[in-house]
Amino acid sequence: MTARIIIPFLILIFFTSLLPQSNFTLRQSRLEYKASLENKIDSALTQFLESGESKDLDEAFWGAGLLLRKSDDLYSTLTTLFSEEKILPEAELRSALECAFTVYPSEFTELLSKKIHKVSHPKIFSMMAVYLSKNGVHLGEMLEITENYINRTDSEDHPIIKGLLLYLKKESPLSQTDVSVLLNHTYQQNIIFSLQYKDRNKPGFVLIKKNGTGFLRDSSGKINLIPQMARALSNMPGFLTNGNTPQGIFTILGIDTSENVFIGNTPNLQLALPFEVAPEVYFRTSSEKVTVMESDRYFSILPEKLRVKNAFLEAFIAGKAGRNEIIAHGTATDINYYKNEVYFPYTPTLGCLCMREEWSEDTEVLVYSDQQKFMKLITENLITDGYFIVAEIDDSISADVIQKILK
């Protein structure tokens, strides 16, 4: 998504004191972009339904997901692709399935319940399995379907299938006691915690623990807690490409800005999953002996009592399966796309961690930014290395509860 460049501190601190601007956020630019994208979506879908041409379908599916845009042609196209007859190579169904998760999260249950028995691609199988699981197919049946798939494809050790099994078994989120253990542990690195809820429609929050100093607090002595969304457009689980931000441990690479118009130019925090970078980079050691990414070493970062929590394996599995470029950024996406969604005014992403930002449609100036608040804490306290831990917590654990845990 972005180049991994660490900006010098003095320049970055000066930059974050300015008001970022984004021409992409101007009212006219947004209207023109949306109209152009809708034309591309309609053209690609019409072309497929009339001639079977599929070369522009990926962009159409992505665009329909971004805009949460339903249409008769989109429904017909997905119905055709999800039929039992083989229309496209299995790998090319990925964007269609992602679109279904986003725009039609339950309408294709019957079709996919038939097609799932005929697919062999692990990612496509797993996406279908998650879709069915979300729509009432009970655990016992899903485990049986998955066991049959493993037997016919010899894929027991595939990371995506391991991720699927982890998802199906649905480990409980961290209790208040677990959260206290996680936060109060003495770490040997800077640690940023992103505490999220299992329902990713509900934003969680971030807090920063500086090595040797403790949690960053405001002038009144309260912990700095900043809301953060970890929801993907698709709301798929984190072991899947473009799914929600996976639970687990990321390594912090540094700070960058993005040229992606949907992210905007507010500085962001660059992160890496296990397997995304070399083990010595991930584990922050110069030792040449660290040449293998091992789960035991990965778990050793956590407090001993939490190393039995398999949910933290999601990031490890996601990295092994090939997910990458998950960062903590702001947003210049038009929030009006999501004005009818329960998570409004937050914007979902393709799986990154995203903070609320709002821009003037008249002047293109940033008028509200939790991301700026977050990055100001990062730069002022030189938090450019260490680990970033994403953990799902019980719904009863509010920001006030966290303040009490750490009082």
Side-chain angles (χ1 to χ4, degrees), residues 22-92:
S22 172
N23 183 65
F24 184 65
T25 63
L26 290 175
R27 183 178 291 105
Q28 188 60 34
S29 296
R30 285 178 164 175
L31 290 172
E32 291 173 357
Y33 176 81
K34 185 180 180 184
S36 174
L37 183 57
E38 288 180 324
N39 285 335
K40 290 178 181 178
I41 293 169
D42 291 338
S43 177
L45 296 175
T46 299
Q47 190 174 38
F48 174 76
L49 292 172
E50 291 180 351
S51 66
E53 177 62 61
S54 63
K55 67 180 179 68
D56 296 322
L57 279 184
D58 282 358
E59 183 177 10
F61 291 145
W62 171 81
L66 175 71
L67 303 177
L68 298 183
R69 183 177 185 265
K70 296 183 177 183
S71 70
D72 290 343
D73 280 355
L74 178 62
Y75 189 86
S76 296
T77 297
L78 292 174
T79 298
T80 300
L81 295 179
F82 297 156
S83 69
E84 292 186 70
E85 296 182 8
K86 187 174 182 180
I87 306 297
L88 290 177
E90 284 183 12
E92 294 187 30

Side-chain angles (χ1 to χ4, degrees), residues 243-297:
N244 295 332
T245 311
Q247 287 189 82
I249 310 166
F250 297 72
T251 198
I252 299 171
L253 297 179
I255 299 168
D256 196 9
T257 54
S258 177
E259 295 180 359
N260 185 313
V261 293
F262 295 101
I263 291 177
N265 52 21
T266 308
N268 59 67
L269 194 65
Q270 295 281 301
L271 309 172
L273 288 160
F275 300 96
E276 185 177 355
V277 292
E280 65 269 21
V281 175
Y282 178 87
F283 289 117
R284 325 200 62 80
T285 176
S286 60
S287 173
E288 295 181 359
K289 295 180 180 179
V290 184
T291 59
V292 179
M293 181 60 67
E294 297 176 334
S295 59
D296 286 348
R297 188 179 182 94

